[in-house]
Amino acid sequence: MAKLEAKNIVKYFDHDGQPLKALGGINLTVDEGDFICLVGPSGCGKSTFLRIVAGLQKPEEGQILLDGRPIINTGPDRILVFQEGALFPWLKVQDNVEFGLKIAGIPDSERHEISKRYLEMMDLTKFANSYTYQLSTGMRQRVAIARALVMDPEVLLMDEPFAALDAQTRDTLLVEMQMIWQKTKKTIIFVTHSVSEATVLGNKIAVFTHRPSTIKKIFSIENKRPRLSEDETLMKYQQEILAELRPEVKSKGDGE
Amino acid sequence: MKANILAKKIAFFVGIVLVWQALDSANVWSDKVFPSPLEVGESLWYGASDGTLFFGIGTSLWRLAIGLVLAIVGGITLGVFMARVETVNQTIGSIILGLQSIPSVAWSPLAIVWFGLTDAGIIFVTVAGAIFAVTINTYTGVKNINPDYIAAAQNMGAKGGQLITKVLIPAAFPYMISGFKQGWAFAWRGVIGAELLFSFLGLGFLLNVGRQLSDVSQVIAMMLVIMIIGIVIDGLIFKKLEDKVMSRWGLR
C-alpha cells in the first residue's frame, strides 16, 4: 500500500532573479517497505524533491501525503541523511546519535539504551566518545545513518550519502545499507547520481528527466540480496537506465 | 612552553628593566617625572602591604565580572535575534556598528547622570563598551552556521528555544569566542576608564590618585598591574577556552 505519495510537485529555483522551473510536476508513489532510488541528470532537482518530502522546503504546487495525510512541516517521521552528514562537531558521536531523542525529551537511561543498540549495529561502539573530526568520512556517514535510525522514522530519506566516500568504503556501506533495510523494513528514498549504486540498493529506481523534471520511468529490480556493485546480473538494468538517462543529460543546454 | 621561548621572554623583560634603569641613571628627567624601576616596585610593595592594591584589584575585577557577564548574555541574545529575525537586523542591526564605534569612556557622562557615582554607573559603562563586540561576533557566527546543521536539527524536531541553545549557540561558538575576547578587552578598558572619571574605588581610581598626588611611581605601578591582569585573564581564561573549543572541533 502507498506509504508516501507525491502529487504533482512543482518547484521553482531562483536563477539570477529569474524563476527557473526545476520540478515540473513530480508524481510518485512509494509503497511501505520500498527501497526506492532516485536518479537523474545533475541539477534536475532530485535533492530538492527529497528536501520537499522532508518538509525542509515548500513546493509551489502539489503536496506530499504520508499515510494519506498531507505533510505540512518537517518532522521526525521523515528523517533526512545529508550528503555531508551534517553531524554536529560540538557533540561526541554518542550525543550526536542521541540528539533527536534528547529533543523529544526521552529520559537519559532509555536514550542511552537506544543509542547503544544503533551504535553497535553501525559498528561504532568504540567511537562513542570521539568527536566527529576524529572519524573518517565513512565513519561519519555511519554516525549520520545511526542518528537517523534512532528516530525510527516512517520514511528514511538519504541524499547522496555515499557520494564523498572512496570505492572500498562505499562498497562496504552498500552491503550494510541492504542489511539495515532488510532488518528494519524501513521505507527508504535514496537520491544518488550513481546508476550502479541505485541498482545495487533499490528495489525500485525512478529516473528523473532534465528540468523541469518529471519522472520518466520506474524500474523494478527483484534480484536477491545482498547485491554487489560487480554483480553481472545488474548490468542489464544499468544499461537500460543509462539509456533512459543519456538523452536527458544531453538535452541540458546550460552547461552546468 | 619551550625552554628557548621562555629564555627569550626573560631576556626581553630583563632588557626592558635594564634600559629603564639606564635611562633613569642618566638623569635626563627628574625622578618626579621618570621614576626608576625600584621606585615603582616600592610603590607596589606599599600598596600591597597596606592592602589598598588588593582592594583596588578586587573592586575592579568584581565590576569587570558583572559587566562582562551582562555584556555576554545581552550580546548573545541580541546577536542571535539579529541573525535569525530579519526585522531585528534591519532595525537594531543598523545601529550596532555605530554604537560599537563609541569608546566606552564616552558612555561615562551619561552613566553619571543616570546612575550617579555608583558601581551601577561603572558597570553600565563596562557593559556598553563590551556588548556590541559580542553582538557582532555572535551575529557573524550564527550567519555562518552550515545551513545543513540547522536543517538537520529542525528535521529531528528542534525548534524555538531548543534550536537556539542546542544548535545555534554551540554552532556559532568558535566565532563567539572572538567576541568574548574582544568584549572582555573592551570591558576591562571600560572599567578602568570609568573608574578614572568616577573616582570611586578600583585600579582606575588608584591610578588617578597617583596623578593627583604627583606620585608618578604609583601611576606607572597601576598601569603595570592593569596590563598584567590583562595578560593573565586573557591567557588563563580566554586562550584556554579558545584552545579547548578549537581542538574539540578539530580546527587545530
Side-chain angles (χ1 to χ4, degrees):
Chain A
M1 80 172 244
K3 183 75 190 166
L4 186 132
E5 280 177 279
K7 289 195 182 288
N8 190 36
I9 297 291
V10 173
K11 177 75 185 173
Y12 289 88
F13 286 162
D14 179 59
H15 183 75
D16 293 336
Q18 295 293 318
L20 180 69
K21 200 174 194 180
L23 301 177
I26 302 279
N27 287 292
L28 180 67
T29 301
V30 181
D31 289 330
E32 173 104 55
D34 263 349
F35 194 149
I36 184 163
C37 292
L38 312 182
V39 295
S42 74
C44 72
K46 51 195 190 296
S47 290
T48 305
F49 174 70
L50 205 64
R51 283 175 180 248
I52 289 171
V53 174
L56 292 167
Q57 290 188 21
K58 302 248 183 286
E60 268 78 34
E61 289 172 39
Q63 59 179 358
I64 304 282
L65 303 176
L66 180 68
D67 291 323
R69 288 184 304 275
I71 64 129
I72 305 158
N73 225 320
T74 185
D77 48 5
R78 288 151 287 132
I79 292 290
L80 176 62
V81 176
F82 292 75
Q83 187 170 356
E84 305 286 345
L87 297 175
F88 303 140
W90 60 92
L91 294 179
K92 293 179 177 174
V93 165
Q94 184 177 347
D95 297 324
N96 261 292
V97 171
E98 291 180 8
F99 183 88
L101 303 173
K102 194 162 184 176
I103 294 292
I106 311 278
D108 279 12
S109 56
E110 196 181 332
R111 215 165 64 214
H112 297 332
E113 207 173 290
I114 297 171
S115 70
K116 196 172 160 231
R117 204 161 67 229
Y118 285 98
L119 286 170
E120 266 168 30
M121 182 170 162
M122 296 311 293
D123 207 8
L124 288 164
T125 310
K126 284 201 302 259
F127 301 98
N129 288 312
S130 304
Y131 286 102
T132 55
Y133 78 94
Q134 297 168 308
L135 306 179
S136 65
T137 334
M139 279 299 190
R140 274 181 229 164
Q141 285 312 63
R142 283 167 197 270
V143 179
I145 293 167
R147 181 174 78 170
L149 288 174
V150 296
M151 302 301 290
D152 196 20
E154 297 286 324
V155 182
L156 182 62
L157 309 170
M158 305 184 82
D159 186 11
E160 303 201 28
F162 305 150
L165 305 183
D166 62 84
Q168 273 175 313
T169 312
R170 189 203 323 242
D171 282 346
T172 319
L173 275 166
L174 285 178
V175 172
E176 280 183 36
M177 207 53 231
Q178 296 175 67
M179 279 153 61
I180 290 167
W181 176 63
Q182 287 177 315
K183 203 154 140 187
T184 61
K185 304 195 164 54
K186 287 275 167 234
T187 309
I188 302 177
I189 308 179
F190 190 106
V191 166
T192 176
H193 63 260
S194 156
V195 171
S196 113
E197 196 170 280
T199 53
V200 172
L201 291 176
N203 68 326
K204 286 185 189 161
I205 293 159
V207 180
F208 277 52
T209 64
H210 178 59
R211 68 171 172 252
S213 55
T214 52
I215 289 178
K216 191 175 189 187
K217 192 163 180 183
I218 294 179
F219 291 85
S220 285
I221 305 182
E222 299 301 337
N223 292 19
K224 68 174 176 47
R225 295 176 185 272
R227 305 172 191 159
L228 302 171
S229 321
E230 62 269 25
D231 280 357
E232 282 174 18
T233 49
L234 295 176
M235 291 290 280
K236 170 171 78 84
Y237 293 106
Q238 289 168 11
Q239 280 160 2
E240 284 177 36
I241 294 166
L242 283 168
E244 294 292 337
L245 268 176
R246 210 163 285 125
E248 301 307 324
V249 177
K250 271 188 186 153
S251 78
K252 62 183 217 172
D254 49 15
E256 224 180 274
Chain B
M1 200 186 301
K2 278 184 187 148
N4 65 337
I5 298 178
L6 188 65
K8 273 187 222 170
K9 285 194 176 175
I10 290 172
F12 174 68
F13 289 116
V14 170
I16 287 181
V17 174
L18 286 178
V19 171
W20 181 358
Q21 183 62 51
L23 280 172
D24 185 68
S25 307
N27 269 326
V28 184
W29 303 284
S30 86
D31 270 356
K32 288 230 181 291
V33 185
F34 196 86
S36 72
L38 191 64
E39 285 167 308
V40 171
E42 273 173 1
S43 182
L44 280 175
W45 175 251
Y46 291 140
S49 54
D50 70 4
T52 51
L53 177 61
F54 298 122
F55 184 66
I57 292 175
T59 307
S60 294
L61 285 182
W62 175 77
R63 288 166 177 164
L64 173 75
I66 306 255
L68 193 54
V69 167
L70 290 175
I72 286 177
V73 172
I76 291 177
T77 311
L78 255 176
V80 167
F81 278 97
M82 264 170 63
R84 295 293 290 175
V85 185
E86 201 40 46
T87 310
V88 175
N89 188 34
Q90 285 159 350
T91 53
I92 300 176
S94 61
I95 57 168
I96 293 285
L97 272 174
L99 289 169
Q100 164 69 355
S101 70
I102 299 176
S104 49
V105 192
W107 291 92
S108 299
L110 195 60
I112 292 172
V113 173
W114 283 356
F115 297 96
L117 297 171
T118 59
D119 281 325
I122 295 175
I123 290 168
F124 173 81
V125 174
T126 312
V127 174
I131 189 168
F132 304 115
V134 179
T135 306
I136 291 168
N137 281 282
T138 303
Y139 169 80
T140 312
V142 174
K143 276 288 175 191
N144 278 296
I145 295 174
N146 177 349
D148 281 353
Y149 292 164
I150 299 173
Q154 287 173 329
N155 190 208
M156 288 184 281
K159 51 187 162 223
Q162 276 186 321
L163 186 68
I164 293 174
T165 56
K166 293 208 175 358
V167 182
L168 299 185
I169 291 177
F173 211 72
Y175 280 92
M176 281 159 57
I177 287 176
S178 307
F180 299 163
K181 285 184 79 168
Q182 288 171 21
W184 109 257
F186 284 129
W188 191 223
R189 292 177 212 179
V191 170
I192 303 298
E195 284 172 351
L196 274 167
L197 283 177
F198 281 60
S199 258
F200 175 53
L201 306 178
L203 286 171
F205 166 71
L206 292 177
L207 185 60
N208 212 19
V209 167
R211 182 189 65 83
Q212 282 160 352
L213 300 176
S214 297
D215 183 353
V216 184
S217 307
Q218 174 157 339
V219 169
I220 294 180
M222 288 310 115
M223 289 178 70
L224 278 176
V225 171
I226 291 164
M227 186 183 86
I228 290 164
I229 289 176
I231 293 172
V232 168
I233 291 184
D234 198 65
L236 283 191
I237 300 177
F238 293 99
K239 190 83 177 52
K240 284 234 167 86
L241 185 65
E242 189 176 29
D243 285 348
K244 195 176 162 189
V245 171
M246 293 297 164
S247 74
R248 174 182 290 197
W249 280 60
L251 295 174
R252 82 167 50 139

